[in-house]
Amino acid sequence: MANDAVEDTQAEQPAGASLLQIGLVGALARLMTDHQKTVLTPKTDGPKAPLIKGYVEGGQSDLVLRVGDDVIGRYKVNLAQPKVVVDQDNEAALNRYADQNGGTEVVVRRNKKWEESLLKYAKYDEDTGLIIDTRNGQIVPGLKYAKGGDPTGNLTFTWEQKDVGKKRLLRLYESGALDHLLKDAPELMAGPRPSAEDAQH
């Protein structure tokens, strides 16, 4: 999923743009989405692919957007949390456990509600490498531990001090201080949009 996210938006980024520049354009697009959602969504998600790629390649999980001393906001790569999941390679063992502990339905399959409850109470024992049902202390076969820390393919964005970052970015935008970032995103430029002829020059 993370690779899909990287590939999906990679082509939309101008060559040579820094992650900070892409992030600022993304924040500006986020600010404007109420007015032009369908046009701006690809720009809003612009930092997603490079941030996920940056996390995978070097561990960078967030990006603070600032212009001079003004902090505009932050992007953060959402990470999968560690959890116990069904081991698809050992489902037969889990099915036997389900049979012995009231977790099967008449249709001879695991009861999904029972499985959800089991996963909620199942804990990974680091010392033994086993999964334990904390309700009864039994070892649960057919489950495995999925470590967290891999990118989920999504980002979280927060504005600096709620509306403060929005106001700062809007002030910079209206003053033209961000125009150099918007040459490849004329739909975000303030004032009249350049014509197709202007864009060629």
Side-chain angles (χ1 to χ4, degrees), residues 10-198:
Q10 213 162 18
E12 299 169 10
Q13 302 310 319
S18 74
L19 186 52
L20 176 60
Q21 291 171 326
I22 294 168
L24 283 168
V25 171
L28 184 57
R30 189 172 296 279
L31 182 63
M32 308 300 243
T33 45
D34 290 341
H35 306 293
Q36 302 177 37
K37 189 167 187 141
T38 54
V39 176
L40 302 177
T41 297
K43 297 296 180 196
T44 302
D45 294 337
K48 182 181 193 178
L51 258 177
I52 291 172
K53 182 178 180 187
Y55 178 80
V56 170
E57 292 177 356
Q60 179 181 354
S61 64
D62 60 348
L63 171 67
V64 177
L65 303 180
R66 62 176 75 240
V67 176
D69 293 332
D70 292 333
V71 174
I72 303 301
R74 290 167 182 77
Y75 282 100
K76 183 164 181 52
V77 176
N78 295 339
L79 303 178
Q81 294 300 309
K83 62 182 177 180
V84 175
V85 296
V86 173
D87 183 352
Q88 302 298 324
D89 297 332
N90 197 12
E91 269 198 273
L94 182 58
N95 287 338
R96 285 190 298 276
Y97 183 81
D99 285 340
Q100 296 165 358
N101 291 280
T104 51
E105 296 177 307
V106 176
V107 190
V108 190
R109 66 175 179 199
R110 281 190 315 278
N111 178 315
K112 288 297 177 188
K113 295 284 185 195
W114 177 88
E115 183 178 307
E116 288 171 13
S117 177
L118 173 65
L119 291 174
K120 180 179 175 184
Y121 289 99
K123 296 293 180 213
Y124 175 70
D125 184 326
E126 183 111 11
D127 295 331
T128 65
L130 299 173
I131 307 295
I132 308 297
D133 185 337
T134 58
R135 297 171 296 184
N136 59 24
Q138 292 184 1
I139 296 169
V140 184
L143 296 181
K144 65 181 179 180
Y145 181 70
K147 69 174 186 67
D150 293 328
T152 62
N154 296 312
L155 301 176
T156 300
F157 179 82
T158 52
W159 290 103
E160 178 68 15
Q161 298 177 29
K162 297 192 178 183
D163 287 343
V164 172
K166 286 182 182 182
K167 290 176 183 174
R168 287 177 179 169
L169 186 59
L170 191 55
R171 185 182 71 241
L172 291 162
Y173 170 73
E174 289 173 344
S175 73
L178 303 176
D179 285 352
H180 66 287
L181 298 176
L182 302 177
K183 62 181 180 234
D184 293 321
E187 67 275 15
L188 295 178
M189 293 183 99
R193 294 199 178 135
S195 66
E197 187 176 306
D198 293 335

